[in-house]
Amino acid sequence: MIIGEGIAMLEISAAMMGKMETIHLTSIWDHQERVLLDAGYPGQLKLIEEQLLSCGFSAEDITKIIITHHDLDHIGSLPDVIQNSSHTPEVFASEREKPYIEGEQRNVKLSPESIAQAMASVPDSVPAEWKSAFKHILEHPPTARVNSILSDGEELPFGGGIIVIHTPGHTPGHTSLYHIPSKTLIAGDALNVVEGRLVGPNPATTYDLVLAKSSLQKLTEYDIQNVICYHGGLFTDNPNQRIRELAYE
């Protein structure tokens, strides 16, 4: 879905643990750069490619990849996207997220206990081979090298300008981004859309809920017309007011 000139929301749907799940990546581009924000679950390169074609280019054209945080649904296909591109994409992430993405530290939410809980939640109808593969990917998440560090408040000089907003809480170094030309907030998992309503971070999947909620105050500094939430998609119904409500409730 094209949001504005040089920016699109990529809707990726696939069966996960016996049910359909949809996530929303973002692509930003200009006359030189082709940027992908987050990289979906493992095995979703083909689905990402299909969505990028609607933007007028392919996964082979990706020159830069920005990762909001290290959860599996955001870095799962990162190695595949990098390998498939003909440009050796530059990978951006915050300093706090870098060691998790590179595999030097374990995912903060994937303890042995949480993995066991995740496996117990897999429906009995899921084939044993799939369960085994799922357990392996939880224990050994994909990794990739981070080339460039995102600094809070910096403006990335492509796509017409993208401002980095550190919004820790969902993970230790979670980052949101603001696309200046389209006034679009790429919220990652700092915000969600549930039944058409913009809501705050999901308590069930958030590392530090108090910190995540306080991070929302930083978002009130921007004039936002569109919000792309990784879970829930696009929100355009007076987002400035709604974000203020969530930040100070």
Side-chain angles (χ1 to χ4, degrees), residues 108-194:
V108 294
K109 303 172 194 174
L110 291 181
S111 65
E113 294 77 15
S114 65
I115 291 175
Q117 292 174 358
M119 294 306 301
S121 70
V122 178
D124 293 337
S125 58
V126 174
E129 181 180 355
W130 193 96
K131 290 181 181 178
S132 177
F134 179 56
K135 185 172 186 291
H136 178 80
I137 205 73
L138 291 177
E139 294 175 337
H140 306 282
T143 63
R145 181 185 176 191
V146 174
N147 312 106
S148 298
I149 299 300
L150 298 171
S151 299
D152 190 27
E154 77 169 304
E155 181 178 331
L156 303 175
F158 39 82
I162 304 169
I163 298 176
V164 175
I165 312 168
H166 283 183
T167 47
H170 179 75
T171 60
H174 185 282
T175 299
S176 302
L177 301 120
Y178 179 73
H179 183 237
I180 297 171
S182 65
K183 298 184 178 181
T184 298
L185 173 70
I186 298 96
D189 287 0
L191 295 166
N192 298 272
V193 175
V194 178

Side-chain angles (χ1 to χ4, degrees), residues 39-86:
Y41 281 101
Q44 293 192 329
L45 175 62
K46 183 177 179 180
L47 297 175
I48 295 171
E49 169 79 5
E50 291 172 356
Q51 289 288 303
L52 287 174
L53 290 175
S54 68
C55 302
F57 54 92
S58 73
E60 291 184 1
D61 302 318
I62 294 296
T63 59
K64 294 182 176 6
I65 305 169
I66 301 173
I67 299 297
T68 61
H69 63 291
H70 70 275
D71 280 345
L72 183 62
D73 55 336
H74 293 254
I75 66 167
S77 288
L78 178 57
D80 293 336
V81 174
I82 294 170
Q83 185 175 4
N84 185 77
S85 173
S86 59

Side-chain angles (χ1 to χ4, degrees), residues 195-213:
E195 297 181 352
R197 182 172 173 80
L198 188 67
V199 300
N202 182 352
T205 61
T206 296
Y207 174 70
D208 184 331
L209 187 58
V210 173
L211 180 59
K213 288 183 175 180

